[in-house]
Amino acid sequence: MPILKIQDFNKLIQSKKTSPAYLFAGEEAYLIDLCLNKIEKLLAVDDLNREVFYASDSTSEDILNAVFTLPFLSDKRLIIVKGVNKMRAIDAEHITKYLSNTSDTSCLVLLYSDNYKKETIAKRKELLNACTSSKNCVAVDCRKQYESEAKDFIKSVLTDKGKNASYDIISRIIEENGTDLLNISNEIEKLSLYVGKDKKEITENDLEKVGGYTKEVNIYALSSDIESKNLKRALFVLEKLLNDGEEPVMVLSAISSSIRKMLNAKSMLEEQNMSVSEVASALRIHSFYAGTFFSNLKKHNAKTLKESLKIILQADTAIKTGGNDAVSALEKAVLFVCK
């Protein structure tokens, strides 16, 4: 079966039929989580029949032993493998072979949190090809959404919540949140709660009061945009923060904290050979955000991050000496790390 669009997967899942294996692949963590949640809801297995593995920390033997273990007081077991893009070649080879002779009592879900179309090692590529061609596996494209698709997503979510919004409002939500569906979903949830059950139309005034305009939210957004190298969005948020009266030293602290976190993660992964899960635990990166963080981390290199700290020091000096140099120093820091 060729790789499905998310809309086609949603239609397929409505049939209530399950496949022995699933592959959810792409950079959009929200869609991967959405697909996984649909499978979990469909199978409705308890904790005794559900196991989660991290590909970088597990062997194919561990995974397949779980797959072939008989379910306990249930028809199916659910075996979830996260970070398949980090799976070792030999393990990928064994999972590939499994797809031609699957278990009837287990559902294997493979989560590939990366751009599956880019160059990758041969065995992992073979696994992806097997998933998209095997009759025993349903593969779903969870790539980052284009702006037009993100707008359709907003319309769909608003409709599900019984709300409406103009084209300008939807465009502004995209402008302020980018096309990251998790950010968009959170924004719509806040808007829906704010306007209440009875009000159907979301207005400009609602967006002004609820949209990402609090200093706390924008500080977080700035860090997120820097991590994802979204220069346009980062400069927009920076300007908004300063116009809203946020202290430049607080903004600089957020930028510095984001850079240091990425640099620490790079060091742990590349120099200390720690696993992704170990780094996430050490840096206290929440599980719902870990996929996005480590995907964004690949866009940065340690050398640039170290040089960015020098720019931070220069900005710190400019801020402490006062004057208009504080604004340009902050812009320079954002431009450097996002270049």
Side-chain angles (χ1 to χ4, degrees):
M1 181 183 293
I3 194 161
L4 300 178
K5 294 181 179 179
I6 187 68
Q7 297 88 341
D8 296 324
F9 171 73
N10 289 336
K11 293 177 183 177
L12 182 65
I13 210 74
Q14 290 174 3
S15 69
K16 306 296 182 181
K17 294 180 181 179
T18 60
S19 173
Y22 292 87
L23 168 71
F24 303 135
E27 301 156 292
E28 182 51 78
Y30 181 91
L31 290 182
I32 290 178
D33 288 344
L34 185 67
C35 291
L36 176 59
N37 289 339
K38 287 180 181 291
I39 295 298
E40 290 184 310
K41 184 176 180 180
L42 181 61
L43 292 179
V45 301
D46 56 27
D47 290 341
L48 292 173
N49 291 297
R50 179 183 184 274
E51 287 193 62
V52 179
F53 295 91
Y54 290 87
S56 60
D57 298 335
S58 308
T59 66
S60 55
E61 182 179 4
D62 296 330
I63 296 167
L64 294 177
N65 280 341
V67 167
F68 285 112
T69 298
L70 293 175
F72 180 73
L73 300 178
S74 177
D75 294 330
K76 293 275 189 182
R77 278 173 56 79
L78 176 61
I79 311 301
I80 302 165
V81 184
K82 298 185 176 182
V84 174
N85 44 305
K86 296 292 186 181
M87 183 175 281
R88 289 177 287 269
I90 187 64
D91 296 322
E93 183 177 1
H94 291 160
I95 300 298
T96 299
K97 291 179 180 178
Y98 166 75
L99 293 177
S100 62
N101 186 24
T102 55
S103 168
D104 294 330
T105 58
S106 288
C107 177
L108 176 64
V109 178
L110 305 172
L111 308 183
Y112 191 103
S113 306
D114 201 354
N115 180 1
Y116 64 90
K117 294 182 180 180
K118 70 180 182 181
E119 291 296 323
T120 187
I121 63 174
K123 294 300 180 183
R124 227 178 281 146
K125 193 71 173 179
E126 287 180 13
L127 174 57
L128 291 173
N129 290 337
C131 289
T132 56
S133 61
S134 172
K135 65 180 181 180
N136 295 323
C137 184
V138 171
V140 183
D141 186 359
C142 297
R143 60 170 172 76
K144 285 290 185 182
Q145 301 293 280
Y146 298 117
E147 187 171 309
S148 59
E149 294 170 320
K151 289 179 179 178
D152 290 337
F153 172 79
I154 293 173
K155 293 176 185 176
S156 174
V157 175
L158 286 173
T159 299
D160 289 343
K161 293 181 176 295
K163 308 297 181 187
N164 300 309
S166 68
Y167 176 83
D168 288 341
I169 295 294
I170 291 174
S171 296
R172 186 163 164 183
I173 292 174
I174 295 290
E175 179 182 330
E176 294 172 7
N177 294 276
T179 58
D180 184 278
L181 299 189
L182 177 60
N183 289 342
I184 290 173
S185 180
N186 289 338
E187 191 68 17
I188 294 174
E189 184 66 24
K190 288 190 296 181
L191 283 165
S192 298
L193 289 172
Y194 175 77
V195 301
K197 294 181 179 180
D198 297 332
K199 186 176 179 180
K200 303 301 181 184
E201 188 72 23
I202 292 175
T203 66
E204 187 83 13
N205 186 54
D206 298 326
L207 196 61
E208 287 284 350
K209 291 182 177 179
V210 180
Y213 282 140
T214 67
K215 294 177 183 179
E216 293 81 3
V217 170
N218 271 333
I219 283 287
Y220 173 81
L222 179 60
S223 297
S224 179
D225 292 329
I226 286 173
E227 289 170 8
S228 64
K229 279 198 170 186
N230 188 339
L231 177 59
K232 179 180 178 182
R233 169 67 183 165
L235 290 175
F236 171 84
V237 175
L238 174 62
E239 181 182 7
K240 182 64 184 174
L241 279 165
L242 296 175
N243 287 341
D244 284 350
E246 183 58 275
E247 292 293 332
V249 68
M250 295 299 296
V251 178
L252 184 64
S253 176
I255 297 172
S256 176
S257 177
S258 181
I259 293 171
R260 290 180 186 279
K261 181 171 68 173
M262 290 190 289
L263 190 55
N264 285 334
K266 281 282 186 184
S267 175
M268 291 176 181
L269 289 169
E270 298 174 3
E271 298 174 16
Q272 302 177 44
N273 294 319
M274 293 173 64
S275 68
V276 166
S277 57
E278 288 173 333
V279 175
S281 176
L283 297 180
R284 297 182 179 181
I285 301 172
H286 197 283
S287 58
F288 82 87
Y289 178 63
T292 300
F293 174 79
F294 287 106
S295 177
N296 286 335
L297 188 62
K298 297 173 186 176
K299 301 175 183 178
H300 300 265
N301 62 70
K303 181 180 178 181
T304 301
L305 290 172
K306 290 176 181 177
E307 292 174 351
S308 297
L309 293 178
K310 298 178 183 178
I311 305 298
I312 294 294
L313 286 175
Q314 294 173 8
D316 184 54
T317 300
I319 290 171
K320 289 176 179 177
T321 57
N324 294 328
D325 285 342
V327 176
S328 60
L330 287 170
E331 290 177 344
K332 181 180 179 181
V334 171
L335 282 166
F336 187 85
V337 73
C338 290
K339 69 180 181 180

